[in-house]
Amino acid sequence: QVLLVESGGGLVQAGGSLRLSCAASGRTLNNYIMGWFRQAPGKEREFVVALRWGTGSTDYADSVKGRFTISRDNAKSTVYLQMNSLKAEDTAVYYCAARPYYSQAYGYWGQGTQVTVSS
């Protein structure tokens, strides 16, 4: 089991920044891929970014490339999502997720944190 707890959401003006955190517990994360997803009202959940914990390799959705940055703190078993140049269309509930690197599906999810960008 991997327990994920997100924090850091809030209300920000367009052009501003927020940093989300996802604290993980329960397993060693070296063999896991950590992902951030988001779901806006009336829309399907969409992929934002993923990071392979053991190697640090990353994969970003085109919509956030150059604006969002994922990082990790090994000592804290925490993954961060730094979001800059926020746009109104970034408004969503953001979810942290985890899966073993050999698995296709994310089996562990956090509770979500609301990000609202006012225009």
Side-chain angles (χ1 to χ4, degrees):
Q1 282 281 55
V2 178
L3 178 63
L4 304 172
V5 180
E6 301 108 330
S7 60
L11 173 65
V12 64
Q13 289 188 335
S17 299
L18 277 177
R19 189 178 79 158
L20 306 182
S21 301
C22 174
S25 61
R27 289 283 177 90
T28 300
L29 298 176
N30 281 344
N31 293 324
Y32 279 77
I33 292 176
M34 306 296 294
W36 285 98
F37 292 76
R38 65 186 182 186
Q39 188 166 20
K43 295 188 177 181
E44 294 188 353
R45 185 168 58 196
E46 66 172 354
F47 169 80
V48 177
V49 61
L51 174 145
R52 182 163 175 173
W53 194 279
T55 64
S57 62
T58 59
D59 181 27
Y60 289 87
D62 288 342
S63 59
V64 305
K65 279 181 182 176
R67 300 189 300 121
F68 290 12
T69 303
I70 190 170
S71 62
R72 71 194 190 287
D73 184 324
N74 288 321
K76 296 182 179 179
S77 295
T78 297
V79 63
Y80 302 99
L81 182 63
Q82 178 66 43
M83 306 185 293
N84 299 328
S85 302
L86 283 161
K87 307 174 182 179
E89 52 263 44
D90 293 318
T91 295
V93 177
Y94 283 71
Y95 296 91
C96 177
R99 63 177 175 90
Y101 74 91
Y102 51 79
S103 175
Q104 295 295 320
Y106 284 87
Y108 304 102
W109 293 85
Q111 81 284 1
T113 186
Q114 177 71 47
V115 172
T116 303
V117 184
S118 62
S119 57

